[in-house]
Amino acid sequence: MKFNRFLPFATPSQLLVCETDGFSLRAAVLRRADQDMEVLYQARTEQVDMAEGLGDVLAALKNQGWQGGGPAILLSPAVLSTLVELPVNPKKPRPLPQMLELVRWEAEPLLLQHVTRWSVGHLLVGQGYMTEEQARAVMDLQQGKPAANGGLAMAEQFSLRRFGDLAVELGYIKRSQLNACLTGQEWLKSADEAIEVGWAAQSPVEDIPGTYNWLVSCVHQSLLQRWTEAFARQGLKLLAMYPLTGCSAVLIPSPDSNAVIVETLPGLGFSSRLTPGGYTALRHYLNPNKAPLDIALESYHALHAPPREPVWLAGWPPAPELAAELAHMLELELHPLSHSAVGDNVSPGMAGAAYHALGLAAG
């Protein structure tokens, strides 16, 4: 999972790792310990203004004894990790400008589609501030569709109004809830077109000679710059932004064999199939109303993986019963994918990203 152009830094011995879902921020200081790593300090905040939230968690870490400063990485749902098929043989790489153009051409529309999940409506539903039925009712009124209780006149009155303002007027949400979602959205969504991309070669595409899978990670440059400046104001150097899901795979103890990895976070699922040649499939899943078991099941089935391949589960928040329930439902052996650093404030993704950034991951 080493991205060309995306991680141009020397391997640190100690690292601040932060992770956000857009409405909270968790942080941990980890350091190398022989050929492994350990957690020194950890903190979290529910502050939706990420600039203020970063200051809060850093103050909490310093109260525990952390000296501050140094390198940092960030996991964010604003970063998209995906597979693209390119007619580029990794053994015969293209010049960097050509490769950058190829990857951006493939990644830009995928990132634009990805960030649609951070619309105000999605965020309000995801936070539990309103129901899906209420969100559909608001969208129907926005589009001029007659409402069941108000007829065409009400629909015309509310047509073309902003989603959040309309939801407040209808009494579905409070203005404070809308403001919280708008603040969180500023750290998840960008209107600009410029993107930063990184890539890593994977396995050949089956049945398409001369075509290879490439693992691509991308984020809007303006968001990357905003986070970089926020960390810089705290005396920290942001080395890279990682995707919220997908990083835990580096924790697999046997990376040279086929494996299926299922990750769950609140409202989010991510499944991937890994072979000795690299990733062959990735699937994202978003449903804020689903329980972790349902998310894990649907993520696994969306992958259409061979039935006998080993399955690893990386779930957060920690829920030991999830692995047993999923194994029972799938009727197969399932391996928890974790690390000693994982806990209430450190997700498997944070541990995986730190493992990679600290130079402990293979490849």
Side-chain angles (χ1 to χ4, degrees):
M1 197 175 130
K2 187 176 293 182
F3 294 114
N4 301 325
R5 292 191 66 257
F6 210 52
L7 299 173
F9 54 84
T11 302
S13 59
Q14 183 170 301
L15 184 71
L16 173 70
V17 184
C18 295
E19 180 177 277
T20 181
D21 61 1
F23 290 87
S24 63
L25 184 70
R26 287 174 286 111
V29 178
L30 297 97
R31 71 177 176 191
R32 289 179 63 111
D34 296 325
Q35 294 304 308
D36 207 340
M37 63 184 183
E38 61 182 357
V39 177
L40 299 179
Y41 315 103
Q42 51 188 302
R44 69 179 299 160
T45 180
E46 302 300 318
Q47 170 65 259
V48 295
D49 185 316
M50 290 296 121
E52 295 183 10
L54 184 60
D56 291 345
V57 293
L58 296 185
L61 294 173
K62 289 177 181 177
N63 286 338
Q64 298 171 36
W66 182 53
Q67 297 301 307
I73 61 173
L74 171 71
L75 286 78
S76 168
V79 181
L80 172 65
S81 179
T82 187
L83 281 179
V84 300
E85 298 177 356
L86 296 175
V88 179
N89 188 330
K91 296 181 179 179
K92 300 177 181 178
R94 302 282 183 89
L96 183 59
Q98 290 185 21
M99 195 65 189
L100 180 59
E101 183 177 358
L102 277 173
V103 173
R104 279 183 174 165
W105 175 264
E106 296 286 343
E108 282 178 353
L110 297 176
L111 183 59
L112 287 174
Q113 182 180 5
H114 175 73
V115 300
T116 59
R117 65 173 62 185
W118 313 129
S119 67
V120 172
H122 277 106
L123 293 174
L124 287 166
V125 172
Q127 288 302 107
Y129 294 153
M130 63 190 303
T131 66
E132 290 184 340
E133 291 75 17
Q134 290 172 333
R136 281 195 293 269
V138 173
M139 287 187 288
D140 285 346
L141 288 175
Q142 280 184 306
Q143 296 167 11
K145 296 180 181 179
N149 60 347
L152 184 59
M154 179 177 286
E156 292 177 344
Q157 176 185 353
F158 292 128
S159 179
L160 303 179
R161 297 284 298 281
R162 289 186 177 182
F163 184 100
D165 293 336
L166 187 49
V168 171
E169 265 189 66
L170 293 173
Y172 292 153
I173 61 171
K174 300 176 181 178
R175 177 62 64 175
S176 60
Q177 294 172 326
L178 172 60
N179 291 339
C181 285
L182 291 173
T183 300
Q185 188 187 52
E186 293 177 357
W187 297 89
L188 294 170
K189 193 174 181 180
S190 174
D192 72 324
E193 297 182 357
I195 67 172
E196 183 72 17
V197 294
W199 56 84
Q202 306 297 301
S203 57
V205 177
E206 296 181 5
D207 303 325
I208 309 181
T211 302
Y212 291 79
N213 287 307
W214 288 80
L215 180 63
V216 172
S217 189
C218 54
V219 67
H220 281 105
Q221 288 182 358
S222 61
L223 279 177
L224 176 60
Q225 182 63 30
R226 185 173 190 184
W227 277 107
T228 300
E229 292 172 355
F231 277 86
R233 287 194 293 271
Q234 300 291 340
L236 293 157
K237 180 177 177 61
L238 181 63
L239 301 179
M241 288 180 67
Y242 286 77
L244 185 61
T245 54
C247 296
S248 66
V250 301
L251 301 176
I252 293 178
S254 302
D256 296 328
S257 59
N258 291 359
V260 172
I261 305 102
V262 176
E263 295 185 41
T264 63
L265 288 162
L268 292 175
F270 182 82
S271 57
S272 54
R273 182 169 181 257
L274 192 61
T275 69
Y279 288 98
T280 61
L282 302 178
R283 296 291 184 272
H284 294 266
Y285 182 83
L286 171 66
N287 192 323
N289 298 311
K290 287 282 188 179
L293 178 60
D294 294 327
I295 289 176
L297 283 169
E298 296 195 29
S299 297
Y300 175 81
H301 289 305
L303 204 59
H304 302 293
R308 297 186 180 277
E309 289 195 347
V311 179
W312 296 83
L313 173 66
W316 195 90
E321 69 280 359
L322 179 59
E325 292 173 349
L326 184 60
H328 174 72
M329 295 294 292
L330 295 177
E331 297 183 339
L332 48 74
E333 185 179 1
L334 189 142
H335 312 279
L337 182 57
S338 190
H339 186 275
S340 59
V342 174
D344 291 338
N345 292 320
V346 180
S347 69
M350 291 173 70
Y355 212 69
H356 175 246
L358 289 170
L360 296 166

